[in-house]
Amino acid sequence: MPAHLRPFHPSDLPALYRICLLTGDAGSDATSLYRDPDLLGHLYAGPYPLADPSLTFVVVDAYGVGGYVVATADTLAFQRWCEQHWWPTIRGEHPPVGDPRDGTRDHQLLHEVHAAPAPVEAYDSYPAHLHIDLLPHLQGQGWGRTLITTLAEALRRRGVPGVQLGVSEANQNAIAFYGRLGFSEVARHPWGRTLGLRL
Ligand SMILES: CC(C)(COP(=O)(O)OP(=O)(O)OC[C@H]1O[C@@H](n2cnc3c(N)ncnc32)[C@H](O)[C@@H]1OP(=O)(O)O)[C@@H](O)C(=O)NCCC(=O)NCCS
């Protein structure tokens, strides 16, 4: 089966979690960094297609789902949805923990899980936000561009003025990719950059 893009189907959820972990260390495999393999997905993949399935698109080939873009059209509304429908159960079942000093990073993600929603930068210009990940065998073939273009078209049809994302400074490949696609810098942080694309 040649690789192709299609809208999200609920059966894609395990693959989204898997891909999120396999690309979760600034683009590289994060498996060895987490005791709980689902934490990254709980933060950066799972809630998006549940809150709004029509803004998730996947790339599928003979090996199965190998890439995705997930998004929300309205970050503040999404945060409210998560506070109501997503975080209560996950917080209840994943208490915060201290640093076990063995190199694992669950404690950092659990801090985010239990934190209040972060303030949204430049919300009026970029109310939407996204996360995109492709497994290595699907990278460098135009699928990233195709996923962003497809999502941008869906957001445009809804009248959304712009989409933003956060990228780690360690992920220079992704920073170059977003620059090539026309994203510009919205803000700089100790951890990386917020980039935005006007739609
Ligand atoms: C970052 C990522 C989404 C890019 O997707 P991709 O399919 O590899 O990129 P594409 O092949 O669609 O590239 C699109 C354009 O960006 C350019 N580009 C991509 N990576 C680049 C790089 N490292 N340096 C310079 N340009 C780059 C391509 O040359 C291409 O240009 P063109 O279309 O004008 O010819 C993908 O590599 C990925 O999932 N990486 C691992 C996970 C990750 O880092 N996710 C982002 C977290 S913020």
Side-chain angles (χ1 to χ4, degrees):
M1 176 171 54
H4 61 281
L5 183 148
R6 65 159 168 74
F8 173 77
H9 180 274
S11 65
D12 299 331
L13 213 44
L16 264 55
Y17 271 71
R18 209 161 47 238
I19 296 163
C20 189
L21 181 65
L22 288 170
T23 57
D25 182 19
S28 300
D29 187 356
T31 305
S32 65
L33 298 178
Y34 297 102
R35 295 170 183 225
D36 181 342
D38 292 333
L39 279 180
L40 275 172
H42 289 335
L43 276 156
Y44 301 119
Y48 295 87
L50 298 187
D52 190 343
S54 63
L55 292 179
T56 289
F57 298 92
V58 300
V59 180
V60 196
D61 67 4
Y63 301 101
V65 174
Y68 63 80
V69 64
V70 297
T72 176
D74 182 335
T75 301
L76 290 178
F78 175 72
Q79 288 180 337
R80 285 193 295 273
W81 183 90
C82 287
E83 287 301 315
Q84 206 180 345
H85 301 288
W86 186 251
W87 292 127
T89 300
I90 289 177
R91 285 177 182 147
E93 295 176 3
H94 298 80
V97 295
D99 184 351
R101 298 182 188 281
D102 62 359
T104 57
R105 298 186 190 163
D106 299 57
H107 62 287
Q108 294 173 358
L109 294 187
L110 288 168
H111 179 79
E112 289 181 48
V113 164
H114 288 271
V120 183
E121 292 156 337
Y123 173 74
D124 291 343
S125 302
Y126 307 100
H129 82 261
L130 70 83
H131 300 283
I132 181 170
D133 289 309
L134 289 153
L135 292 179
H137 73 278
L138 286 170
Q139 293 172 14
Q141 300 160 55
W143 287 113
R145 182 185 275 283
T146 305
L147 283 168
I148 297 279
T149 306
T150 304
L151 172 67
E153 195 43 50
L155 291 171
R156 247 181 238 116
R157 278 198 300 272
R158 295 192 192 189
V160 177
V163 59
Q164 63 174 279
L165 57 89
V167 58
S168 153
E169 205 57 39
N171 197 345
Q172 289 295 320
N173 282 328
I175 289 172
F177 163 75
Y178 294 127
R180 185 83 181 145
L181 266 69
F183 284 78
S184 59
E185 192 169 310
V186 175
R188 237 180 233 233
H189 310 274
W191 51 263
R193 308 177 194 187
T194 301
L195 306 178
L197 181 70
R198 299 307 297 257
L199 297 170

